[in-house]
Amino acid sequence: MNFLITLLISCSLLLSALSYADEKTIHLTSLEWPPYAGASLPQQGISIAIARAAFTAMGYDLKVTFFPWSRAVALAKRKESQFIGYFPEYFSPQTRKHFIYSDQMGSSPLGFAERKDQSISWTKLEQLKPYRIGVVQDYINTEELDAMIDNHTLKISSTISDAANLKKLMSKRIDLAVIDKNVMQYLLKTDPSLSNKSNLAQFNSIILEDKNLYICFKRNNQGQDTANIFNQGLKKINILAIAKSVINEILYPVSI
């Protein structure tokens, strides 16, 4: 009888410990978007390293699961899923209807990739009407650009990834590709299908927008509580120092 009581108490304590551990673990979705996010990247990328540091500063663990972008957003939005949010995301009034935005956790210089033999000079988006522009499906770009895409003012070609867009650019199937400058730098340096042609492409001289990056949390009480925890954690860490450290580790790994 004493053995049975001891066993029951041990099981109860174990279940309590597991429950507590689960309560202290934040589940988020993300995508393969190096150098900001990636399952095999050092520290899983810049944005994830920053998010993990912020949650750790508040006594929480972070578990990130990677999906294609559309699925990452859909799973975070689903009420019954374990995921309380997704990231990294740009700001959008439409997205804010369904999610709670965190405080800013970084930035993303968004612009165009172009071919070196066809540098395009422009000051207004209307001037880009003659060109074929590659975008990634379901990505938020800039408010003005997305409006022009929606009303078919610009000639748009959609694909599933930034790498696919760069390949289309190099093969002259499109004239410009909307892309983050750091993402482009990473892909041209590390993707074997692109690195041997990296001399064909460059980043256009005009930045579309230096976009802020956020975590989007479920629009409910749990999402708001988690956002508050994360925002408090952000104030306790050095975002810039973490970002610089991780980008150097990703782009310039030290061989042992």
Side-chain angles (χ1 to χ4, degrees):
M1 179 65 74
N2 288 338
F3 171 76
L4 181 59
I5 292 173
T6 301
L7 180 61
L8 289 172
I9 292 173
S10 298
C11 289
S12 177
L13 290 173
L14 177 60
L15 289 173
S16 296
L18 290 173
S19 175
Y20 176 77
D22 189 60
E23 287 178 3
K24 301 292 285 186
T25 300
I26 306 298
H27 294 271
L28 298 173
T29 64
S30 191
L31 79 163
E32 293 292 331
W33 194 48
Y36 297 99
S40 61
L41 291 175
Q43 301 188 56
Q44 296 188 313
I46 299 168
S47 295
I48 294 175
I50 291 169
R52 182 168 285 115
F55 281 120
T56 298
M58 298 298 292
Y60 288 80
D61 295 324
L62 173 63
K63 180 174 176 55
V64 179
T65 308
F66 296 86
F67 300 97
W69 184 239
S70 297
R71 182 162 173 74
V73 176
L75 285 171
K77 189 176 180 180
R78 190 177 298 169
K79 290 182 179 180
E80 66 274 16
S81 79
Q82 67 175 329
F83 303 109
I84 194 61
Y86 75 96
F87 75 120
E89 179 62 290
Y90 297 152
F91 178 79
S92 161
Q94 184 64 31
T95 301
R96 189 171 59 178
K97 294 177 183 178
H98 305 286
F99 291 94
I100 297 167
Y101 273 87
S102 71
D103 290 345
Q104 180 189 349
M105 62 178 300
S107 62
S108 162
L110 188 67
F112 293 110
E114 63 182 10
R115 290 190 301 278
K116 286 186 178 179
D117 65 357
Q118 188 189 26
S119 181
I120 296 173
S121 178
W122 65 282
T123 55
K124 296 180 180 179
L125 287 175
E126 287 82 359
Q127 295 171 300
L128 301 180
K129 288 180 181 180
Y131 302 101
R132 297 160 296 173
I133 301 174
V135 298
V136 178
Q137 179 182 342
D138 294 330
Y139 276 19
I140 294 170
N141 301 296
T142 69
E143 189 172 349
E144 182 184 8
L145 178 57
D146 287 337
M148 295 179 76
I149 291 172
D150 290 341
N151 63 28
H152 306 290
T153 301
L154 299 173
K155 290 186 287 188
I156 297 300
S157 174
S158 180
T159 190
I160 60 171
S161 70
D162 288 303
N165 248 350
L166 288 175
K167 290 174 185 176
K168 289 170 69 175
L169 176 72
M170 292 173 178
S171 62
K172 300 186 177 182
R173 287 182 286 161
I174 57 175
D175 303 302
L176 294 166
V178 181
I179 194 168
D180 169 279
K181 186 175 184 179
N182 295 321
V183 172
M184 181 178 176
Q185 180 184 10
Y186 174 87
L187 290 173
L188 293 182
K189 182 178 177 63
T190 63
D191 188 323
S193 66
L194 295 169
S195 57
N196 62 348
K197 300 178 182 178
S198 61
N199 62 315
L200 300 178
Q202 64 186 10
F203 197 71
N204 186 270
S205 60
I206 297 180
I207 296 284
L208 271 169
E209 187 177 338
D210 195 20
K211 306 283 288 186
N212 292 335
L213 295 173
Y214 308 90
I215 298 179
C216 284
F217 295 99
K218 275 188 172 75
R219 186 163 281 285
N220 58 23
N221 290 338
Q222 184 186 7
Q224 184 62 70
D225 291 343
T226 311
N228 291 341
I229 291 167
F230 176 71
N231 292 341
Q232 290 176 51
L234 276 181
K235 294 180 174 65
K236 297 185 176 185
I237 65 173
N238 188 328
I239 295 174
L240 186 58
I242 293 171
K244 286 182 176 179
S245 173
V246 177
I247 192 66
N248 284 332
E249 191 176 355
I250 290 171
L251 292 178
Y252 310 105
V254 177
S255 300
I256 298 176

